[in-house]
Amino acid sequence: MNPLSHLLPELESGLSALGLPTDPLAGKLLDYLALLDRWNKTYNLTAVRDPREMLYKHLLDSLSMWRHVADGKLADLGTGPGLPGIPLALANPRLQVTLVESIAKKTRFQREVVRQLGLTNVRVLESRAEAVDEPGAYDQITARAMDTLAGILAVGGHLLAPGGRLLAMKGQRPDAEIAALPPGWRVESVQALTVPGLEGDRHLVTVTRTPAETA
C-alpha cells in the first residue's frame, strides 16, 4: 500500500481542477511522490520536505502547463528529481521526455522512477544542457526553475528543431527577461497558469525562433 494514500483525495481534486483524468494517473503520481519522499530523506533531492507540500508545489505545479505541451519530443532541462518531465510523461504517454540533469544522485533517482513505474516514454540523460549533442532533436524544451529565458536558450536552444518551442515556467510575468531575449528569438505567448491549492503568480512563457531563423 502506498504510504501516502491519505493524500489521494487531494491529488484527485487537483487533477480534476486541471482538467486531467484521475484514473489511473493519480495512482501513478502518488507512487512517484512516495519514491520522491523516501529518497529525499536520504539524498536531499528537493528543499520541499513535506509530501503534502510536494503534491501542490511539485506535482500540480508541474501539471499546470499540460494543456500547452504538444505530443512529440520534449527535453526537460535541469529537471532535478524529474520536474516537470515525469508528471508530464505520466499525464501524456504520447510525449517522449528526455530528462537532462547533471547531478548524479538526481539522475539515479530518475532512473529508479523510470524502472519502478515502467515509464517507456522517459529517458534519463546525465549531462549539462549545453553539453547535450543532439542539435535540433526536440520539438519542445522546458525548464521549471533553471535560469532566465536568455540563459535557458543559451544552454539549450540548440536542441530545438526548426519551429520548436521553449516552454518556460515562471512566477510573475517576466517582462524584463522577455525584453532581454537574444536576437533570433521571439515570445509566442505568455499564459497565466492556475495551480490548484497554491496562491501567487504563475506564467508559462512560450518562445520560438523568429521566422528568419526558421526559413
Side-chain angles (χ1 to χ4, degrees):
M1 182 177 176
N2 190 306
L4 301 182
S5 56
H6 60 285
L7 295 176
L8 187 61
E10 288 181 71
L11 179 54
E12 290 180 333
S13 175
L15 292 174
S16 294
L18 290 172
L20 282 161
T22 58
D23 187 32
L25 179 57
K28 293 177 178 177
L29 286 167
L30 208 60
D31 287 342
Y32 168 61
L33 187 62
L35 281 169
L36 180 56
D37 180 48
R38 190 166 83 232
W39 276 61
N40 202 43
K41 289 180 171 67
T42 303
Y43 295 105
N44 193 29
L45 302 175
T46 166
V48 181
R49 314 300 295 180
D50 177 65
R52 186 171 181 271
E53 267 193 271
M54 290 183 194
L55 188 155
Y56 290 97
K57 292 183 177 179
H58 287 335
L59 298 190
L60 295 179
D61 183 69
S62 292
L63 289 169
S64 65
M65 67 184 286
W66 77 272
R67 293 183 188 275
H68 307 283
V69 181
D71 296 352
K73 296 180 70 177
L74 169 77
D76 180 11
L77 310 182
T79 181
L83 299 162
I86 289 174
L88 290 172
L90 286 168
N92 182 4
R94 297 179 304 278
L95 187 66
Q96 297 293 322
V97 176
T98 295
L99 304 173
V100 181
E101 173 60 52
S102 62
I103 298 176
K105 66 180 180 180
K106 295 180 179 180
T107 56
R108 282 199 302 272
F109 169 71
Q110 294 165 19
R111 291 188 182 100
E112 182 65 6
V113 172
V114 168
R115 186 183 71 80
Q116 293 232 13
L117 300 188
L119 294 178
T120 58
N121 62 330
V122 175
R123 79 189 261 253
V124 176
L125 205 54
E126 188 175 314
S127 174
R128 297 179 64 84
E130 59 267 34
V132 177
D133 188 17
E134 298 177 356
Y138 295 91
D139 308 299
Q140 301 156 108
I141 60 173
T142 191
R144 185 164 168 260
M146 183 183 177
D147 203 341
T148 63
L149 296 173
I152 297 167
L153 291 169
V155 300
H158 70 287
L159 300 173
L160 283 174
R165 301 179 301 155
L166 162 64
L167 306 172
M169 299 188 77
K170 296 288 180 179
Q172 293 185 333
R173 181 185 169 101
D175 290 317
E177 292 184 31
I178 290 170
L181 278 174
W185 299 93
R186 65 181 178 86
V187 169
E188 186 176 275
S189 65
V190 181
Q191 305 280 342
L193 301 175
T194 300
V195 183
L198 289 184
E199 296 183 359
D201 291 340
R202 207 74 176 106
H203 289 86
L204 182 71
V205 183
T206 301
V207 179
T208 188
R209 287 186 174 88
T210 57
E213 294 291 311
T214 58

